[in-house]
Short mmCIF file of all heavy atoms in Angstrom, two decimals:
data_model
loop_
_atom_site.label_atom_id
_atom_site.label_comp_id
_atom_site.label_asym_id
_atom_site.label_seq_id
_atom_site.Cartn_x
_atom_site.Cartn_y
_atom_site.Cartn_z
N PHE A 56 111.89 3.76 20.49
CA PHE A 56 112.82 4.69 21.14
C PHE A 56 112.76 6.07 20.50
O PHE A 56 112.37 6.23 19.34
CB PHE A 56 114.26 4.17 21.03
CG PHE A 56 114.51 2.88 21.76
CD1 PHE A 56 114.37 1.66 21.10
CD2 PHE A 56 114.89 2.88 23.08
CE1 PHE A 56 114.60 0.46 21.76
CE2 PHE A 56 115.12 1.68 23.76
CZ PHE A 56 114.99 0.47 23.09
N GLY A 57 113.18 7.05 21.27
CA GLY A 57 113.44 8.38 20.75
C GLY A 57 114.84 8.78 21.16
O GLY A 57 115.43 8.18 22.07
N LEU A 58 115.38 9.79 20.49
CA LEU A 58 116.66 10.37 20.89
C LEU A 58 116.38 11.75 21.43
O LEU A 58 115.85 12.62 20.72
CB LEU A 58 117.62 10.45 19.70
CG LEU A 58 118.93 11.21 19.95
CD1 LEU A 58 119.74 10.56 21.07
CD2 LEU A 58 119.77 11.31 18.67
N GLY A 59 116.71 11.96 22.69
CA GLY A 59 116.53 13.27 23.32
C GLY A 59 117.86 14.01 23.36
O GLY A 59 118.86 13.47 23.84
N ILE A 60 117.86 15.24 22.85
CA ILE A 60 119.05 16.09 22.85
C ILE A 60 118.73 17.33 23.67
O ILE A 60 117.67 17.93 23.51
CB ILE A 60 119.48 16.47 21.42
CG1 ILE A 60 119.72 15.20 20.60
CG2 ILE A 60 120.72 17.35 21.44
CD1 ILE A 60 120.05 15.47 19.15
N LYS A 61 119.63 17.73 24.54
CA LYS A 61 119.32 18.76 25.53
C LYS A 61 120.50 19.71 25.74
O LYS A 61 121.66 19.30 25.66
CB LYS A 61 118.97 18.09 26.86
CG LYS A 61 118.79 19.03 28.05
CD LYS A 61 118.55 18.25 29.32
CE LYS A 61 118.56 19.16 30.54
NZ LYS A 61 118.36 18.41 31.81
N GLU A 62 120.17 20.95 25.99
CA GLU A 62 121.16 21.95 26.40
C GLU A 62 120.66 22.67 27.65
O GLU A 62 119.46 22.84 27.85
CB GLU A 62 121.41 22.98 25.30
CG GLU A 62 122.11 22.41 24.08
CD GLU A 62 122.25 23.42 22.94
OE1 GLU A 62 121.61 24.51 23.03
OE2 GLU A 62 122.96 23.12 21.98
N LEU A 63 121.60 23.10 28.46
CA LEU A 63 121.32 23.94 29.62
C LEU A 63 121.88 25.33 29.34
O LEU A 63 123.03 25.48 28.94
CB LEU A 63 121.97 23.34 30.87
CG LEU A 63 121.87 24.14 32.17
CD1 LEU A 63 120.42 24.22 32.63
CD2 LEU A 63 122.74 23.53 33.26
N TRP A 64 121.05 26.35 29.56
CA TRP A 64 121.42 27.74 29.27
C TRP A 64 121.26 28.61 30.51
O TRP A 64 120.38 28.37 31.34
CB TRP A 64 120.51 28.32 28.18
CG TRP A 64 120.85 27.89 26.78
CD1 TRP A 64 120.68 26.66 26.22
CD2 TRP A 64 121.40 28.72 25.74
NE1 TRP A 64 121.08 26.66 24.92
CE2 TRP A 64 121.52 27.92 24.59
CE3 TRP A 64 121.77 30.07 25.68
CZ2 TRP A 64 122.01 28.41 23.38
CZ3 TRP A 64 122.26 30.57 24.49
CH2 TRP A 64 122.39 29.74 23.35
N GLN A 65 122.12 29.62 30.59
CA GLN A 65 121.92 30.74 31.51
C GLN A 65 121.36 31.88 30.67
O GLN A 65 121.99 32.30 29.70
CB GLN A 65 123.26 31.17 32.15
CG GLN A 65 123.11 32.10 33.33
CD GLN A 65 123.04 31.38 34.65
OE1 GLN A 65 123.65 30.32 34.78
NE2 GLN A 65 122.31 31.91 35.61
N VAL A 66 120.17 32.36 31.00
CA VAL A 66 119.52 33.36 30.16
C VAL A 66 119.42 34.70 30.87
O VAL A 66 119.62 34.80 32.09
CB VAL A 66 118.11 32.89 29.73
CG1 VAL A 66 118.19 31.58 28.96
CG2 VAL A 66 117.17 32.76 30.92
N ASP A 67 119.11 35.72 30.10
CA ASP A 67 118.88 37.06 30.62
C ASP A 67 117.78 37.00 31.68
O ASP A 67 116.69 36.48 31.41
CB ASP A 67 118.47 37.96 29.46
CG ASP A 67 118.25 39.42 29.87
OD1 ASP A 67 118.11 39.69 31.07
OD2 ASP A 67 118.22 40.28 28.97
N PRO A 68 118.01 37.53 32.88
CA PRO A 68 116.98 37.49 33.93
C PRO A 68 115.64 38.07 33.49
O PRO A 68 114.59 37.63 33.96
CB PRO A 68 117.60 38.31 35.07
CG PRO A 68 119.07 38.19 34.86
CD PRO A 68 119.27 38.13 33.37
N ALA A 69 115.68 39.04 32.57
CA ALA A 69 114.43 39.65 32.11
C ALA A 69 113.59 38.68 31.30
O ALA A 69 112.38 38.89 31.14
CB ALA A 69 114.75 40.89 31.28
N ARG A 70 114.21 37.63 30.78
CA ARG A 70 113.50 36.65 29.96
C ARG A 70 113.16 35.37 30.73
O ARG A 70 112.56 34.45 30.18
CB ARG A 70 114.32 36.30 28.73
CG ARG A 70 114.67 37.51 27.88
CD ARG A 70 115.57 37.12 26.69
NE ARG A 70 116.03 38.30 25.96
CZ ARG A 70 115.33 38.92 25.02
NH1 ARG A 70 114.13 38.47 24.69
NH2 ARG A 70 115.81 39.98 24.41
N HIS A 71 113.57 35.31 31.97
CA HIS A 71 113.42 34.09 32.75
C HIS A 71 112.08 34.07 33.47
O HIS A 71 111.66 35.06 34.07
CB HIS A 71 114.57 34.00 33.78
CG HIS A 71 114.60 32.72 34.53
ND1 HIS A 71 114.50 32.65 35.91
CD2 HIS A 71 114.72 31.44 34.10
CE1 HIS A 71 114.57 31.39 36.28
NE2 HIS A 71 114.70 30.64 35.22
N ARG A 72 111.39 32.92 33.41
CA ARG A 72 110.10 32.73 34.06
C ARG A 72 110.13 31.44 34.87
O ARG A 72 109.79 30.37 34.35
CB ARG A 72 108.96 32.65 33.02
CG ARG A 72 108.86 33.86 32.10
CD ARG A 72 108.32 35.08 32.84
NE ARG A 72 108.13 36.21 31.92
CZ ARG A 72 109.09 37.12 31.67
NH1 ARG A 72 110.28 37.02 32.26
NH2 ARG A 72 108.84 38.11 30.85
N PRO A 73 110.61 31.48 36.12
CA PRO A 73 110.74 30.24 36.90
C PRO A 73 109.46 29.42 36.91
O PRO A 73 108.38 29.93 37.18
CB PRO A 73 111.08 30.74 38.31
CG PRO A 73 111.67 32.10 38.10
CD PRO A 73 110.96 32.67 36.91
N GLY A 74 109.59 28.15 36.56
CA GLY A 74 108.45 27.24 36.57
C GLY A 74 107.67 27.17 35.28
O GLY A 74 106.73 26.37 35.17
N LEU A 75 108.04 27.95 34.27
CA LEU A 75 107.37 27.87 32.98
C LEU A 75 107.77 26.58 32.27
O LEU A 75 108.96 26.27 32.14
CB LEU A 75 107.72 29.07 32.11
CG LEU A 75 107.24 29.03 30.65
CD1 LEU A 75 105.73 28.95 30.57
CD2 LEU A 75 107.77 30.22 29.87
N VAL A 76 106.79 25.84 31.79
CA VAL A 76 107.01 24.59 31.07
C VAL A 76 106.36 24.72 29.70
O VAL A 76 105.15 24.97 29.60
CB VAL A 76 106.40 23.40 31.85
CG1 VAL A 76 106.36 22.15 30.98
CG2 VAL A 76 107.19 23.14 33.12
N GLN A 77 107.16 24.58 28.65
CA GLN A 77 106.64 24.74 27.28
C GLN A 77 107.01 23.52 26.45
O GLN A 77 108.16 23.10 26.43
CB GLN A 77 107.23 26.00 26.65
CG GLN A 77 106.77 26.25 25.22
CD GLN A 77 107.24 27.59 24.70
OE1 GLN A 77 106.87 28.64 25.23
NE2 GLN A 77 108.07 27.58 23.67
N HIS A 78 106.01 22.96 25.77
CA HIS A 78 106.22 21.87 24.83
C HIS A 78 105.73 22.29 23.46
O HIS A 78 104.77 23.06 23.35
CB HIS A 78 105.48 20.61 25.28
CG HIS A 78 105.98 20.02 26.56
ND1 HIS A 78 105.33 20.20 27.77
CD2 HIS A 78 107.08 19.27 26.82
CE1 HIS A 78 106.02 19.57 28.72
NE2 HIS A 78 107.07 19.00 28.17
N SER A 79 106.39 21.79 22.43
CA SER A 79 105.94 22.10 21.08
C SER A 79 106.11 20.89 20.18
O SER A 79 106.87 19.97 20.49
CB SER A 79 106.72 23.29 20.49
OG SER A 79 108.03 22.91 20.13
N PHE A 80 105.40 20.90 19.07
CA PHE A 80 105.58 19.89 18.03
C PHE A 80 105.43 20.59 16.69
O PHE A 80 105.01 21.75 16.60
CB PHE A 80 104.60 18.73 18.18
CG PHE A 80 103.15 19.12 18.16
CD1 PHE A 80 102.41 19.04 16.99
CD2 PHE A 80 102.51 19.56 19.31
CE1 PHE A 80 101.07 19.39 16.96
CE2 PHE A 80 101.16 19.91 19.30
CZ PHE A 80 100.44 19.84 18.12
N GLY A 81 105.82 19.90 15.64
CA GLY A 81 105.82 20.51 14.32
C GLY A 81 107.24 20.85 13.90
O GLY A 81 108.18 20.08 14.13
N TRP A 82 107.41 22.02 13.25
CA TRP A 82 108.71 22.44 12.73
C TRP A 82 109.78 22.36 13.82
O TRP A 82 109.51 22.65 14.97
CB TRP A 82 108.60 23.88 12.22
CG TRP A 82 109.77 24.32 11.42
CD1 TRP A 82 109.96 24.21 10.08
CD2 TRP A 82 110.95 24.97 11.93
NE1 TRP A 82 111.18 24.74 9.72
CE2 TRP A 82 111.81 25.21 10.85
CE3 TRP A 82 111.38 25.34 13.21
CZ2 TRP A 82 113.06 25.81 10.97
CZ3 TRP A 82 112.63 25.94 13.35
CH2 TRP A 82 113.45 26.17 12.25
N PRO A 83 111.01 21.93 13.47
CA PRO A 83 111.56 21.71 12.13
C PRO A 83 111.32 20.31 11.56
O PRO A 83 111.74 20.04 10.45
CB PRO A 83 113.06 21.92 12.37
CG PRO A 83 113.29 21.43 13.76
CD PRO A 83 112.06 21.84 14.52
N LEU A 84 110.67 19.43 12.32
CA LEU A 84 110.41 18.09 11.81
C LEU A 84 109.22 18.11 10.87
O LEU A 84 108.25 18.84 11.10
CB LEU A 84 110.14 17.13 12.98
CG LEU A 84 111.24 17.04 14.04
CD1 LEU A 84 110.80 16.11 15.17
CD2 LEU A 84 112.56 16.57 13.44
N ASP A 85 109.28 17.30 9.80
CA ASP A 85 108.14 17.24 8.90
C ASP A 85 107.06 16.35 9.51
O ASP A 85 107.26 15.70 10.55
CB ASP A 85 108.54 16.77 7.50
CG ASP A 85 109.13 15.36 7.48
OD1 ASP A 85 108.74 14.52 8.33
OD2 ASP A 85 110.00 15.09 6.63
N ASN A 86 105.91 16.31 8.87
CA ASN A 86 104.77 15.63 9.44
C ASN A 86 104.97 14.12 9.58
O ASN A 86 104.33 13.47 10.41
CB ASN A 86 103.52 15.89 8.59
CG ASN A 86 102.24 15.41 9.25
OD1 ASN A 86 101.91 15.85 10.35
ND2 ASN A 86 101.53 14.50 8.61
N SER A 87 105.87 13.55 8.79
CA SER A 87 106.10 12.11 8.86
C SER A 87 107.19 11.73 9.86
O SER A 87 107.47 10.54 10.03
CB SER A 87 106.48 11.57 7.47
OG SER A 87 107.72 12.12 7.05
N THR A 88 107.80 12.71 10.50
CA THR A 88 108.87 12.45 11.46
C THR A 88 108.39 12.84 12.85
O THR A 88 108.11 14.01 13.13
CB THR A 88 110.13 13.26 11.12
OG1 THR A 88 110.53 12.94 9.78
CG2 THR A 88 111.26 12.94 12.07
N GLY A 89 108.26 11.86 13.72
CA GLY A 89 107.74 12.12 15.06
C GLY A 89 108.74 12.79 15.96
O GLY A 89 109.96 12.59 15.83
N GLY A 90 108.23 13.58 16.87
CA GLY A 90 109.10 14.23 17.85
C GLY A 90 108.49 15.51 18.36
O GLY A 90 107.40 15.92 17.96
N GLY A 91 109.20 16.17 19.26
CA GLY A 91 108.74 17.42 19.81
C GLY A 91 109.78 18.01 20.74
O GLY A 91 110.78 17.37 21.06
N SER A 92 109.53 19.24 21.15
CA SER A 92 110.52 19.96 21.96
C SER A 92 110.06 20.12 23.39
O SER A 92 108.87 19.99 23.71
CB SER A 92 110.78 21.34 21.37
OG SER A 92 109.76 22.24 21.76
N PHE A 93 111.00 20.46 24.25
CA PHE A 93 110.67 20.88 25.61
C PHE A 93 111.55 22.07 25.97
O PHE A 93 112.69 22.20 25.52
CB PHE A 93 110.86 19.73 26.63
CG PHE A 93 112.23 19.11 26.66
CD1 PHE A 93 113.23 19.60 27.49
CD2 PHE A 93 112.52 18.01 25.86
CE1 PHE A 93 114.48 19.02 27.53
CE2 PHE A 93 113.78 17.42 25.88
CZ PHE A 93 114.76 17.92 26.73
N LEU A 94 111.00 22.95 26.77
CA LEU A 94 111.71 24.15 27.21
C LEU A 94 111.22 24.46 28.62
O LEU A 94 110.06 24.81 28.81
CB LEU A 94 111.41 25.31 26.25
CG LEU A 94 112.36 26.49 26.25
CD1 LEU A 94 112.32 27.20 24.92
CD2 LEU A 94 112.01 27.46 27.37
N TYR A 95 112.12 24.28 29.60
CA TYR A 95 111.73 24.38 31.00
C TYR A 95 112.60 25.44 31.70
O TYR A 95 113.83 25.45 31.57
CB TYR A 95 111.93 23.05 31.74
CG TYR A 95 111.26 21.85 31.11
CD1 TYR A 95 111.82 20.58 31.23
CD2 TYR A 95 110.05 21.97 30.42
CE1 TYR A 95 111.21 19.46 30.69
CE2 TYR A 95 109.44 20.85 29.87
CZ TYR A 95 110.03 19.60 30.00
OH TYR A 95 109.42 18.50 29.44
N HIS A 96 111.95 26.29 32.49
CA HIS A 96 112.66 27.32 33.25
C HIS A 96 112.91 26.83 34.68
O HIS A 96 111.97 26.62 35.45
CB HIS A 96 111.82 28.60 33.28
CG HIS A 96 111.74 29.31 31.96
ND1 HIS A 96 112.18 30.61 31.77
CD2 HIS A 96 111.27 28.91 30.77
CE1 HIS A 96 111.96 30.97 30.52
NE2 HIS A 96 111.40 29.95 29.88
N LEU A 97 114.18 26.63 35.00
CA LEU A 97 114.61 26.26 36.35
C LEU A 97 114.77 27.51 37.21
O LEU A 97 114.34 28.61 36.83
CB LEU A 97 115.94 25.50 36.27
CG LEU A 97 115.92 24.07 35.76
CD1 LEU A 97 117.24 23.70 35.12
CD2 LEU A 97 115.62 23.12 36.93
N GLU A 98 115.43 27.35 38.34
CA GLU A 98 115.78 28.49 39.17
C GLU A 98 117.09 29.12 38.67
O GLU A 98 117.73 28.60 37.74
CB GLU A 98 115.94 28.07 40.64
CG GLU A 98 117.09 27.12 40.92
CD GLU A 98 116.73 25.66 40.73
OE1 GLU A 98 115.63 25.35 40.26
OE2 GLU A 98 117.59 24.81 41.04
N ASP A 99 117.50 30.23 39.26
CA ASP A 99 118.79 30.88 39.00
C ASP A 99 118.99 31.24 37.52
O ASP A 99 120.09 31.11 36.98
CB ASP A 99 119.96 29.98 39.46
CG ASP A 99 119.88 29.65 40.94
OD1 ASP A 99 119.41 30.51 41.70
OD2 ASP A 99 120.28 28.54 41.32
N ASN A 100 117.92 31.67 36.86
CA ASN A 100 117.99 32.12 35.46
C ASN A 100 118.47 31.03 34.50
O ASN A 100 119.04 31.33 33.45
CB ASN A 100 118.89 33.36 35.32
CG ASN A 100 118.41 34.51 36.17
OD1 ASN A 100 117.22 34.81 36.20
ND2 ASN A 100 119.33 35.17 36.87
N GLN A 101 118.25 29.78 34.87
CA GLN A 101 118.64 28.67 34.01
C GLN A 101 117.42 28.11 33.27
O GLN A 101 116.32 28.02 33.83
CB GLN A 101 119.32 27.57 34.81
CG GLN A 101 120.69 27.98 35.35
CD GLN A 101 121.42 26.83 36.00
OE1 GLN A 101 120.84 25.80 36.33
NE2 GLN A 101 122.73 26.98 36.19
N VAL A 102 117.65 27.74 32.03
CA VAL A 102 116.62 27.17 31.17
C VAL A 102 117.18 25.93 30.49
O VAL A 102 118.33 25.93 30.02
CB VAL A 102 116.16 28.18 30.10
CG1 VAL A 102 115.26 27.52 29.07
CG2 VAL A 102 115.44 29.36 30.75
N VAL A 103 116.39 24.86 30.44
CA VAL A 103 116.78 23.68 29.67
C VAL A 103 115.93 23.64 28.41
O VAL A 103 114.73 23.93 28.44
CB VAL A 103 116.64 22.37 30.47
CG1 VAL A 103 117.59 22.35 31.64
CG2 VAL A 103 115.22 22.14 30.94
#
């Protein structure tokens, strides 16, 4: 299992890119701790 923690944000329209999907791994988790991030741009200047 993993534990997924998520927030929904309303962001500045100038920073919003509808349909952008970004995944990352590494910091802040150390190399022995598995996991990774997700950052998705929805419509209406919303980002998860």
Side-chain angles (χ1 to χ4, degrees):
F56 295 92
L58 172 60
I60 303 176
K61 173 184 172 181
E62 292 175 349
L63 175 66
W64 282 71
Q65 193 92 32
V66 301
D67 182 343
R70 303 177 186 276
H71 187 239
R72 303 288 184 270
L75 172 61
V76 168
Q77 179 173 298
H78 294 102
S79 74
F80 58 96
W82 192 90
L84 303 177
D85 62 31
N86 190 59
S87 65
T88 304
S92 80
F93 57 90
L94 199 155
Y95 306 149
H96 289 240
L97 286 152
E98 65 273 7
D99 302 326
N100 301 316
Q101 291 187 343
V102 171
V103 295

